[in-house]
Amino acid sequence: PYPEPDTSYAFVYDGTLEGLLCAVFETYRRKLVPSEIVTEENLQLRLAQQPITIPSSPAIAQRVKNGLCRTCGGSTYDAVRIASLSDDPSKGMAICAFIRYAMAERGNVMGQLAHPCVEPLVKLNRFVTNERHRMMQFLRFREMQGGVWFAACNPKANVVPILMGWFAERFNTQPFIIFDETHNIAGVSRNGAWALVQSDSLTLPEETADEALMADAWKHFYDTVSIKDRYHPELRRAFMPKRLWKNITEMQERIPNNSLHARQK
């Protein structure tokens, strides 16, 4: 199901799931499995290696999706979709190998954790899912003027597309924005419906006066309930990675006398 990759070729796709599914389709159509399936920014050609640009086609991507769902089940496609949100440059080949193996086996192969075509995808899937859980725990919304709530995050995977539905179901009457500073993507929700917007930056209204007071009160509560004799900085960093602290309210320094909260940039 997965022949030896041909080191003479590299497939270059646009970074989207649709583009990646089109690249997988081309391995069947051309009867050629390249040594790399990467985005242009991650392409590093080897000596005498030829790049082949794979155009993204919604129709072809849908064809691959339908075939995978029909042959292996919707859960198999969901595993591919989640793994594709990883930032790992090797995900293209891992997903291609998994799809070709699953299609050849004609069934759900996710339980075959030791298989070389399954293990890499399971690891990608697990990492993305764990990163989503971190964002669910550590997103901190701030109330902006105009009734919009805003949260910034900096995940190690493009998890906003699989994060928005969870928050939209719970905040279905409250407009909010989740902005991924790492991947420059914003999820915008209103009345339970949501959409994704690609943007390098956002222009936001000012915070409300109540937000500054609530942020200070929350930080005061966080400091008050802590037990100094049980302070364990290594354990805290394990549960709350330090890379996330800049967007976590309680990790910002408190301003004395309840003055306005100056958020770290």
Side-chain angles (χ1 to χ4, degrees):
Y2 191 62
E4 192 70 23
D6 190 332
T7 58
S8 302
Y9 299 95
F11 283 2
V12 183
Y13 72 105
D14 62 4
T16 66
L17 174 58
E18 289 75 15
L20 181 51
L21 293 180
C22 290
V24 174
F25 177 84
E26 286 298 305
T27 66
Y28 288 101
R29 189 181 74 84
R30 296 172 183 257
K31 295 182 173 58
L32 165 68
V33 176
S35 59
E36 293 180 281
I37 300 178
V38 295
T39 60
E40 187 173 0
E41 62 181 332
N42 291 321
L43 178 64
Q44 294 183 347
L45 289 176
R46 304 172 186 175
L47 186 65
Q49 190 178 45
Q50 177 182 348
I52 301 176
T53 300
I54 306 300
S56 182
S57 167
I60 292 177
Q62 187 64 41
R63 180 177 172 182
V64 176
K65 174 184 175 180
N66 292 343
L68 190 60
C69 290
R70 181 175 59 253
T71 305
C72 307
S75 60
T76 300
Y77 171 75
D78 286 339
V80 168
R81 178 175 61 88
I82 292 173
S84 72
L85 299 173
S86 169
D87 291 344
D88 191 331
S90 67
K91 67 180 180 183
M93 287 300 296
I95 290 174
C96 179
F98 173 80
I99 291 177
R100 291 180 64 97
Y101 177 69
M103 293 291 286
E105 292 293 302
R106 304 189 66 80
N108 189 333
V109 298
M110 291 297 294
Q112 301 179 26
L113 301 181
H115 195 281
C117 290
V118 178
E119 182 186 14
L121 183 123
V122 171
K123 288 183 176 179
L124 290 173
N125 191 287
R126 184 182 299 120
F127 183 87
V128 173
T129 301
N130 288 342
E131 198 67 4
R132 175 179 180 264
H133 286 322
R134 288 193 183 96
M135 297 305 106
M136 290 164 63
Q137 296 177 66
F138 298 124
L139 272 185
R140 299 293 185 261
F141 286 90
R142 298 181 288 131
E143 185 180 12
M144 318 303 288
Q145 294 180 9
V148 176
W149 293 76
F150 173 79
C153 59
N154 55 324
K156 284 188 174 181
N158 186 16
V159 296
V160 170
I162 57 174
L163 192 64
M164 286 298 297
W166 190 86
F167 280 101
E169 287 181 2
R170 287 153 180 78
F171 303 150
N172 52 23
T173 61
Q174 188 66 54
F176 68 86
I177 299 172
I178 299 176
F179 181 55
D180 182 343
E181 301 171 330
T182 304
H183 303 88
N184 298 323
I185 188 171
V188 182
S189 177
R190 184 179 182 87
N191 297 328
W194 58 274
L196 300 175
V197 179
Q198 198 74 39
S199 176
D200 293 337
S201 62
L202 293 178
T203 301
L204 296 169
E206 296 292 328
E207 294 182 359
T208 64
D210 287 344
E211 171 59 30
L213 294 174
M214 289 300 297
D216 189 71
W218 174 246
K219 287 182 287 184
H220 179 69
F221 172 78
Y222 179 82
D223 293 339
T224 301
V225 299
S226 65
I227 302 174
K228 293 183 179 180
D229 292 340
R230 295 185 178 181
Y231 178 62
H232 194 319
E234 292 80 10
L235 184 63
R236 180 171 69 170
R237 287 195 295 269
F239 285 105
M240 183 191 291
K242 194 169 184 179
R243 62 185 169 85
L244 305 178
W245 288 9
K246 68 173 184 173
N247 289 316
I248 298 179
T249 304
E250 60 266 33
M251 302 309 296
Q252 313 305 314
E253 293 185 5
R254 291 189 63 219
I255 305 298
N257 302 323
N258 289 332
S259 57
L260 291 180
H261 172 52
R263 184 173 179 270
Q264 291 185 352
K265 301 294 183 183

